[in-house]
Amino acid sequence: MHPQPGPNNSDAAPTADGHVPAQAQLSADAQQAPTPRKDEVAVLLIHGFTGSRTAMRPWAQALEQAGYHTQMVLLPGHETRWQDMVKVPYAHWIHATEQAFDELAARYRTVFVAGLSMGGALALHLATRREVAGLLLTNPGLVVDSPLAPYTKYLRWVVRSTSPISNDIALPGADEQAYPRTPVAAVAQLHRLFEQTRRRLPLITCPIILFRSASDNVVSDASVRALFDGLAPNSKIQRVDLPHSLHVATLDYDAPLIFERSAQFIAAHTPART
């Protein structure tokens, strides 16, 4: 399987369930695309490791503006303090995404899932256990690149935290509101999540669009290789390169490209009305 390269957001706060109101004007391309009714299509957005929904908010807003309902899940242990991640098993992250998906699937006919970084791994995992219409992945992680990763379950008792992995963004002033430290115990859980997700990749049958930054200081190309190597040979995956962005591309220079191509992808893979 071979990759196929492709070519101002409001600050509206989400409601209690993570819903983001639409405010801005549609781009010309989004206006030309067929727009399913909001009561038919929804998108679940999943943030990254030690990150927050801040990194997903512009993406959610753009999809709302294109005519889709969105919901941003808050993963356990996040958006409080980094110490709260220490005792959270990766199964709780999986459960949170499945619960959020099930709630959407009960109300909407078609549900897509978008993920950034670890959120991409959770989106992939979700697609092996639920009927996901399509996956939108921005720099998804599947490999913890440090050679110490397998030993973090022991190192956690010696080293409580390490330096942060936040704000790998080229755009000046952008801030994903991530934790100032990385808990080693949580890295051990991340490593286990990635291992399990890689094993389950052949089970994925839905279409995928992969947004990949030209330079990424958090997720290396090892994760991209793991994705393409792990998917079934007949998988439907398209790649869109982001030449001007770093890891948190949803807050970076190429964010408009992500938003535009996401709306097109969803429109193309939404089942026709009957």
Side-chain angles (χ1 to χ4, degrees):
M1 186 187 317
H2 300 286
Q4 300 179 2
N8 296 322
N9 301 291
S10 68
D11 294 324
T15 59
D17 67 350
H19 180 270
V20 180
Q23 293 182 358
Q25 185 179 11
L26 290 175
S27 67
D29 288 340
Q31 289 175 348
Q32 293 171 4
T35 305
R37 295 196 306 268
K38 285 189 178 182
D39 62 350
E40 292 183 341
V41 181
V43 185
L44 177 66
L45 297 100
I46 311 172
H47 65 78
F49 181 70
T50 74
S52 73
R53 291 172 292 180
T54 297
M56 311 304 288
R57 189 163 297 129
W59 201 358
Q61 291 171 345
L63 292 173
E64 287 272 355
Q65 294 155 15
Y68 307 109
H69 176 89
T70 68
Q71 182 170 317
M72 300 182 294
V73 61
L74 175 59
L75 300 176
H78 291 77
E79 292 192 19
T80 54
R81 57 183 194 138
W82 67 264
Q83 291 89 340
D84 291 333
M85 291 188 69
V86 171
K87 295 184 178 181
V88 177
Y90 75 94
H92 286 194
W93 299 332
I94 292 174
H95 176 72
T97 61
E98 291 181 348
Q99 183 178 45
F101 181 90
D102 290 344
E103 291 172 357
L104 286 176
R107 292 184 287 144
Y108 297 89
R109 185 185 68 167
T110 304
V111 182
F112 291 81
V113 181
L116 167 68
S117 196
M118 179 184 78
L122 288 166
L124 288 161
H125 194 285
L126 185 59
T128 70
R129 293 167 60 90
R130 296 294 190 273
E131 190 174 347
V132 176
L135 293 172
L136 303 92
L137 310 176
T138 298
N139 296 322
L142 283 171
V143 176
V144 178
D145 294 297
S146 171
L148 297 177
Y151 308 104
T152 49
K153 59 184 177 181
Y154 308 115
L155 292 172
R156 57 174 294 190
W157 302 111
V158 181
V159 182
R160 187 167 171 79
S161 68
T162 62
S163 57
I165 57 172
S166 60
N167 284 338
D168 187 36
I169 308 170
L171 183 65
D175 184 0
E176 63 171 320
Q177 298 294 313
Y179 284 147
R181 300 290 295 174
T182 302
V184 174
V187 175
Q189 296 299 314
L190 179 69
H191 178 62
R192 293 180 63 188
L193 169 65
F194 284 176
E195 283 186 326
Q196 184 177 116
T197 303
R198 291 197 303 271
R199 290 195 299 268
R200 298 183 66 85
L201 288 176
L203 301 175
I204 296 174
T205 58
C206 68
I208 302 171
I209 185 167
L210 168 67
F211 298 101
R212 180 60 178 158
S213 294
S215 180
D216 189 330
N217 298 304
V218 177
V219 171
S220 76
D221 285 338
S223 287
V224 177
R225 290 192 295 271
L227 175 61
F228 280 93
D229 290 345
L231 292 170
N234 60 343
S235 296
K236 300 176 182 178
I237 181 169
Q238 56 181 294
R239 172 171 173 162
V240 178
D241 291 322
L242 309 175
H244 308 296
S245 298
L246 298 178
H247 181 64
V248 191
T250 52
L251 298 179
D252 218 327
Y253 288 110
D254 294 305
L257 176 60
I258 295 175
F259 306 156
E260 178 182 352
R261 294 295 295 272
S262 293
Q264 294 172 356
F265 175 83
I266 293 172
H269 294 285
T270 297
R273 298 169 182 160
T274 56

